[in-house]
Amino acid sequence: MAVGCFGSFVGGATHGGQDSKEREEVSPVRGLAVGEPSTVWRNVNHPVLPNRLRDLAWMAAHEILPARAVMHSRGMSATPTCPRPGCGAPESVRHLLWECGAAEDLWATAGSLQFLCLPAGEVLNAQLVLYGVSQTKITSKDFAQLWLALNAVKDAIWTSRNLLVGKRMQIPPVAALQMAAATMKNRLCAHTDEGAGATRNKGPGGGGLASRGKDT
Ligand SMILES: [Zn+2]
């Protein structure tokens, strides 16, 4: 399968926008240094992300994506344990998207296929993946492309996890990356259609993530 770098994403240099006011921008984020939370909340609302990925990024940053450990702590899941066969760790948001062996495999595959187009000197780590906090100087154009790819992969991890829980389907890393590639392609085509300055699409498909995490 060929999953290479996507064409350059033009636009989206202006962070924030109307929607950013709906969500707190200065709440502390666990594990981040002082001064970085505003970057995190700005990234959550990054204009490169379609609604679904903004919702995912928002829930990941708030650590309220309905993974089992999150739901268990609220009395809404019988077990906190990761559903991946042989894992056994509590399924926190960080575990689900970064620490779990299944997530590790997917990020490694993405790296080997150069799916993410990491700029020179950029290293894949939890802060970059979860919050878009980079330790290197990166142009806004490179960041937009990278941030879209990172969130498309996170979405693929979450979707494949829900297929495992709900339908007992095992999605191989390469197939999950094909889902991520489709998400990116749809976004880049939609953005071209919308043109610069397009507002968020309020139509069907946005905000659907919260209902997808139900354990059976
Ligand atoms: Zn796991």
Side-chain angles (χ1 to χ4, degrees):
M1 181 192 64
V3 182
C5 294
F6 280 78
S8 60
F9 178 86
V10 181
T14 310
H15 290 135
Q18 290 179 332
D19 292 312
S20 64
K21 290 189 176 59
E22 295 169 7
R23 294 165 176 174
E24 58 267 60
E25 295 181 38
V26 290
S27 301
V29 178
R30 196 182 61 144
L32 289 179
V34 174
E36 288 174 340
S38 62
T39 306
V40 175
W41 302 125
R42 197 173 61 214
N43 290 343
V44 161
N45 281 295
H46 196 289
V48 76
L49 300 181
N51 288 354
R52 200 167 61 122
L53 297 190
R54 287 190 199 193
D55 291 338
L56 177 69
W58 185 77
M59 286 194 276
H62 272 290
E63 301 195 29
I64 57 168
L65 196 67
R68 281 182 172 173
V70 177
M71 300 302 272
H72 184 71
S73 70
R74 298 170 183 202
M76 296 165 74
S77 173
T79 172
T81 306
C82 176
R84 298 283 182 185
C87 182
E91 194 194 27
S92 64
V93 174
R94 176 181 283 244
H95 174 83
L96 165 72
L97 296 175
W98 179 250
E99 294 172 347
C100 183
E104 278 183 1
D105 285 351
L106 190 50
W107 290 117
T109 305
S112 67
L113 293 175
Q114 306 205 328
F115 182 86
L116 300 169
C117 308
L118 279 175
E122 192 64 75
V123 178
L124 207 58
N125 58 37
Q127 294 217 335
L128 180 64
V129 164
L130 296 174
Y131 310 119
V133 173
S134 168
Q135 302 305 318
T136 61
K137 265 238 177 279
I138 179 168
T139 66
S140 59
K141 186 176 152 189
D142 282 349
F143 178 77
Q145 187 168 330
L146 176 59
W147 188 229
L148 175 62
L150 290 172
N151 281 283
V153 173
K154 285 191 286 191
D155 180 54
I157 292 174
W158 179 234
T159 300
S160 61
R161 176 269 189 208
N162 289 330
L163 287 170
L164 176 69
V165 170
K167 300 188 186 285
R168 308 253 184 276
M169 284 174 65
Q170 295 264 14
I171 309 295
V174 168
L177 279 183
Q178 284 175 330
M179 294 195 296
T183 300
M184 290 177 69
K185 195 175 172 193
N186 287 342
R187 175 55 183 161
L188 295 172
C189 293
H191 188 86
T192 305
D193 292 342
E194 287 167 8
T199 54
R200 280 182 69 169
N201 170 23
K202 302 287 186 188
L209 280 163
S211 61
R212 288 165 45 205
K214 285 182 191 159
D215 278 3
T216 53

